[in-house]
Amino acid sequence: MLNQSQKYIERYGELAEMLAAEKDPEKIKKLAVETDFIIAFIKRRLNIIFLHEEDENINCAELCCCIEESLKTLRLNGIECSCISELKKTMDFERMTYLYEGFYRFVSDITDDISSLHVYLRAYGDTVCILMYITSRSDLSGISGIQREGDKWVFMIE
Amino acid sequence: MNIFKKYKMLVSIKEAFDNLPCGVAFFEKNGTPLLVNRKMYGLVYDLLETELQSLDDIEILLKVQFVFSSEGRVWRFERIISESEKDFIEIKAADVTEIYMYKLRLDEAVEEQKSIMRRMQRITRNIVSITRNEEILSMKMNIHNELGFILSNSRQFISQGCPENEKQDYIDLQRKTVKML
């Protein structure tokens, strides 16, 4: 069960040690936010695993709760966030973990640069995708798949 | 003893032999019948629908544990091993109906015992499975609660501006959680 989350737990351990060694208050805050972000991810990912043990398909609302838990961390860092889903459907475990891991990896790479993040869960064929609208102080055009729409960056995990 | 008396005695012996409740037969070593009582003749005819001509005729009856006659009785045929085996072969057919009935009841009782044992084993397995599931559930709840606690603690630490004097406690808690996971 925990093996599936092993790489994230290892990263969590690394962050704890980096925090222990750090003296600069700014860097400590940055590391603490990153640590909080990964704890929220591990907690919610385990929740999905536990739910999967009960049922093959999981309600989309659970993915919204997972993302919302992660967004709470970003709000602590002064980032304006929201997660909106009007989907009343279910998705399988693999799809849900794929989307949540994709969200985690993408957001953890840009946390320092963004000022707002609005997440939408949209129907995508028979399944669901994550659409994100981002306001950033930095140029994110180097990220593969990201697009510019007015003053926002748009990224989709499909 | 005169011949008449001797004949009369032999007839009496034969009569008594014929009236035995069990079947008895003596054969030569080559299988030729020497002396066969009425019951044995009747049984062989009833069971095999043939006259008893030689030992070979009833070999098949010696190979099974029980045979069932048309009158609803159960018989067991056996070869009697004795000193006289050197000279002739003795076959006995005994009415074992009551023994057979006891055996049936015993078989039923044994089967019932086995069924109870299987049920007990199933219950034991279920108890083990329920205990294991309860332990897993308890572990899951423990992990969930622990992560919820650490998350709340972590957010408090960040919202307070990561105070230096709380940093060590915060790190100790993180290390403890990593170890738990």
Side-chain angles (χ1 to χ4, degrees):
Chain A
M1 176 184 68
L2 294 179
N3 286 347
Q4 296 163 37
S5 302
Q6 198 55 46
K7 61 182 174 183
Y8 300 107
I9 294 166
E10 280 168 15
R11 177 64 185 153
Y12 174 28
E14 285 168 15
L15 285 169
E17 293 313 313
M18 284 161 74
L19 254 171
E22 191 56 63
K23 301 283 180 217
D24 179 357
E26 273 306 306
K27 285 183 181 168
I28 288 173
K29 190 186 175 192
K30 186 176 169 293
L31 284 168
V33 168
E34 200 178 335
T35 306
D36 194 84
F37 195 64
I38 202 166
I39 298 167
F41 173 74
I42 292 169
K43 177 176 179 263
R44 283 295 174 171
R45 196 180 180 284
L46 287 176
N47 261 5
I48 298 173
I49 294 169
F50 297 156
L51 287 172
H52 172 59
E53 286 174 6
E54 305 282 317
D55 203 338
E56 185 61 33
N57 290 313
I58 306 166
N59 198 306
C60 284
E62 184 59 30
L63 181 59
C64 200
C65 291
C66 293
I67 292 170
E68 187 54 45
E69 181 84 69
S70 298
L71 295 184
K72 282 179 189 169
T73 310
L74 301 185
R75 288 190 191 107
L76 283 174
N77 211 22
I79 300 167
E80 182 196 327
C81 310
S82 66
C83 177
I84 296 166
S85 166
E86 291 171 358
L87 297 173
K88 297 193 188 318
K89 59 195 291 188
T90 60
M91 69 177 100
D92 62 43
F93 168 75
E94 282 77 17
R95 180 70 183 162
M96 189 171 280
T97 48
Y98 166 79
L99 289 174
Y100 191 40
E101 285 183 25
F103 165 82
Y104 167 78
R105 282 198 302 271
F106 174 74
V107 177
S108 60
D109 283 347
I110 59 167
T111 312
D112 295 337
D113 304 316
I114 62 176
S115 54
S116 78
L117 171 66
H118 299 285
V119 184
Y120 299 88
L121 300 186
R122 292 266 170 88
Y124 185 71
D126 290 340
T127 181
V128 176
C129 71
I130 293 178
L131 195 61
M132 287 182 273
Y133 288 85
I134 305 139
T135 312
S136 173
R137 295 176 285 271
S138 314
D139 181 10
L140 303 179
S141 58
I143 298 171
S144 170
I146 203 160
Q147 289 180 343
R148 187 86 185 170
E149 268 186 27
D151 61 338
K152 306 258 188 225
W153 295 96
V154 183
F155 187 75
M156 187 162 84
I157 303 168
E158 55 186 356
Chain B
M1 194 184 296
N2 63 33
I3 293 173
F4 178 72
K5 275 190 176 176
K6 195 174 179 183
Y7 174 74
K8 206 175 169 186
M9 192 183 77
L10 285 173
V11 166
S12 299
I13 291 170
K14 176 71 171 83
E15 189 62 30
F17 184 65
D18 274 339
N19 288 335
L20 282 171
C22 58
V24 183
F26 295 93
F27 296 87
E28 296 262 22
K29 296 291 261 181
N30 64 7
T32 309
L34 273 174
L35 186 61
V36 180
N37 77 348
R38 209 179 291 140
K39 192 73 193 175
M40 182 62 90
Y41 273 126
L43 276 172
V44 172
Y45 190 77
D46 180 38
L47 297 167
L48 303 172
E49 293 181 351
T50 180
E51 294 287 347
L52 178 57
Q53 302 286 341
S54 98
L55 181 59
D56 292 344
D57 294 337
I58 56 170
E59 279 298 340
I60 191 165
L61 300 174
L62 292 165
K63 286 175 185 164
V64 291
Q65 198 178 3
F66 298 108
V67 287
F68 303 88
S69 68
S70 60
E71 58 191 6
R73 308 294 296 175
V74 186
W75 296 86
R76 179 185 286 161
F77 284 70
E78 55 189 347
R79 194 176 176 135
I80 307 294
I81 311 286
S82 65
E83 272 298 303
S84 56
E85 184 84 355
K86 282 180 244 167
D87 307 316
F88 51 84
I89 298 160
E90 184 185 348
I91 304 294
K92 184 182 150 198
D95 185 340
V96 292
T97 308
E98 281 186 26
I99 294 172
Y100 178 75
M101 298 311 285
Y102 283 126
K103 185 187 176 298
L104 281 186
R105 272 181 243 159
L106 194 65
D107 287 349
E108 274 175 26
V110 168
E111 196 46 53
E112 198 178 335
Q113 288 289 320
K114 281 182 184 170
S115 164
I116 291 169
M117 279 297 290
R118 282 195 293 269
R119 216 169 123 238
M120 291 298 288
Q121 283 168 346
R122 216 164 36 239
I123 290 168
T124 310
R125 272 200 302 273
N126 284 347
I127 289 169
V128 171
S129 167
I130 288 165
T131 310
R132 196 181 58 231
N133 286 344
E134 278 180 356
E135 282 171 358
I136 291 170
L137 182 66
S138 163
M139 189 191 76
K140 285 176 186 173
M141 285 171 69
N142 192 29
I143 291 172
H144 188 266
N145 292 344
E146 195 71 27
L147 285 173
F149 172 74
I150 190 86
L151 209 47
S152 150
N153 188 283
S154 170
R155 283 170 183 170
Q156 194 180 351
F157 178 72
I158 296 166
S159 62
Q160 287 173 349
C162 307
E164 181 62 35
N165 59 342
E166 288 180 22
K167 188 186 162 204
Q168 195 52 51
D169 289 346
Y170 175 74
I171 287 162
D172 290 344
L173 201 58
Q174 304 296 347
R175 283 174 172 155
K176 191 181 140 215
T177 311
V178 171
K179 209 172 168 186
M180 177 197 77
L181 291 170

